[in-house]
Amino acid sequence: MSIIRYRKARVENIDVFYREAGTPGKPKLLLLHGFPSSSHMFRDLIPLLCNDFHIVAPDLPGFGQTDMPAREGFRYSFDHLAAIIDGLTDAIGFDRYIVYVFDYGAPTGFRLAVKHPERIQGIVTQNGNAYVEGLSEGWNPIRAYWESPTDANRNALRDMLTPEATRWQYVHGTADESLVSPDGIGLDNYYLAREGAHDIQLDLFLDYQSNIALYPVFQAYFREHRPRLLAIWGKHDPFFLPPGAEAFRRDIPDADVRFLDTGHFALETHAGDIADAIRTFFKP
């Protein structure tokens, strides 16, 4: 039986929640979740990998059990999210690690890699994008907000924060919806229903354009440092397309790119396959 501990660390005057499992001394693995989820999305993966890795899975600020400071006193940007996670790794002694990135976790983790290339021992990108060809037309409403950040365009995105939209993200592209636990969907919707949560998410929607602006920087990091990279994607993701996974080979020719017959939240249906791929790819 795996033992998972649930901890908090103080970073920039907020409590950052994280799950920790495995044995110190094993290769370190940092798991970074995406929208609208939390480290709960790794609940099936962690027990499968804890014998081989020392695992830490934090909740980003404004998500899950990490503090959700009011927007008036806290900057909700991807630069700031990355700074908080960077501070967490310093606080807990995660000095060299493999980083698993998904969705919002990708621009967060890639910022860490650019800042501290010496710390990155490998990358697992599960539907974590760094190339414009990986962006689907599903981004068009958010693009409209970037181009014209009016109240009307902001409010048009509130439909993406409804319980129905959350469920759709989980089940779209899956071959068998009965394999998708309702627990993650329900928990995400609980967190999204908190007072102020919608406007925080809308702020991050607006700031997502900063990630695309950094794609050339991320790609330069890939070319210069050639980290060991496993791209394992749900091929029916409505937001991040397979060409985004294949593009990693352009900058890291020996990247291992694999596709699963599922959607955005691939861990919901293929945690075992992803765990096996990680364990094999990073086998000493």
Side-chain angles (χ1 to χ4, degrees):
M1 294 291 291
S2 61
I3 297 175
I4 302 175
R5 291 182 168 84
Y6 306 93
R7 306 184 186 276
K8 290 186 177 181
R10 195 75 174 168
V11 181
E12 290 191 20
N13 294 318
I14 69 167
D15 285 332
V16 179
F17 170 87
Y18 63 98
R19 301 164 195 261
E20 184 172 16
T23 304
K26 295 283 188 178
K28 295 179 175 68
L29 179 61
L30 179 67
L31 307 177
L32 298 178
H33 70 84
F35 166 83
S37 194
S38 67
S39 61
H40 181 259
M41 67 169 280
F42 298 113
R43 66 195 178 280
D44 294 329
L45 184 68
I46 291 172
L48 298 174
L49 293 177
C50 65
N51 289 334
D52 301 285
F53 297 93
H54 177 195
I55 301 169
V56 163
D59 290 352
L60 297 172
F63 294 79
Q65 290 293 315
T66 290
D67 286 351
M68 189 178 75
R71 297 164 61 232
E72 293 75 17
F74 187 91
R75 186 177 74 262
Y76 283 96
S77 70
F78 285 89
D79 279 349
H80 201 191
L81 298 188
I84 295 292
I85 299 304
D86 192 24
L88 172 69
T89 62
D90 287 340
I92 65 175
F94 242 55
D95 52 349
R96 290 175 60 81
Y97 50 84
I98 299 162
V99 61
Y100 180 119
V101 300
F102 164 73
D103 190 78
Y104 280 12
T108 303
F110 295 153
R111 278 172 169 81
L112 299 182
V114 168
K115 183 177 181 181
H116 303 294
E118 75 285 355
R119 297 185 181 182
I120 304 302
Q121 296 185 303
I123 296 172
V124 181
T125 170
Q126 184 253 298
N127 300 77
N129 195 56
Y131 297 87
V132 293
E133 51 263 61
L135 298 172
S136 76
E137 292 185 357
W139 284 90
N140 288 350
I142 298 178
R143 287 183 183 276
Y145 185 34
W146 299 340
E147 294 166 4
S148 180
T150 64
D151 287 344
N153 283 338
R154 182 180 178 92
N155 289 328
L157 299 177
R158 293 184 184 275
D159 287 345
M160 298 180 68
L161 305 172
T162 63
E164 295 77 15
T166 300
R167 185 180 188 280
W168 180 83
Q169 289 183 66
Y170 271 81
V171 303
H172 178 86
T174 59
D176 183 354
E177 291 186 12
S178 70
L179 295 175
V180 179
S181 168
D183 300 329
I185 300 170
L187 189 60
D188 288 358
N189 282 326
Y190 167 79
Y191 290 132
L192 279 174
R194 292 178 293 179
E195 184 177 357
H198 282 196
D199 279 309
I200 287 170
Q201 297 304 329
L202 293 170
D203 288 349
L204 289 171
F205 285 173
L206 182 61
D207 190 62
Y208 199 93
Q209 61 189 310
S210 72
N211 302 327
I212 298 171
L214 284 175
Y215 281 178
V217 176
F218 298 156
Q219 294 159 19
Y221 159 79
F222 299 146
R223 287 192 299 272
E224 179 180 354
H225 296 280
R226 298 287 179 91
R228 297 187 67 192
L229 186 137
L230 170 66
I232 185 161
W233 283 30
K235 65 182 179 181
H236 306 301
D237 190 324
F239 304 109
F240 300 119
L241 303 173
E246 293 163 346
F248 284 102
R249 290 199 186 107
R250 189 163 66 229
D251 296 311
I252 307 174
D254 59 353
D256 188 338
V257 180
R258 312 183 191 189
F259 294 102
L260 302 169
D261 186 20
T262 191
H264 186 60
F265 281 94
L267 283 175
E268 296 296 312
T269 54
H270 288 72
D273 297 310
I274 293 172
D276 289 344
I278 293 171
R279 193 181 299 108
T280 301
F281 187 74
F282 290 105
K283 186 176 181 179

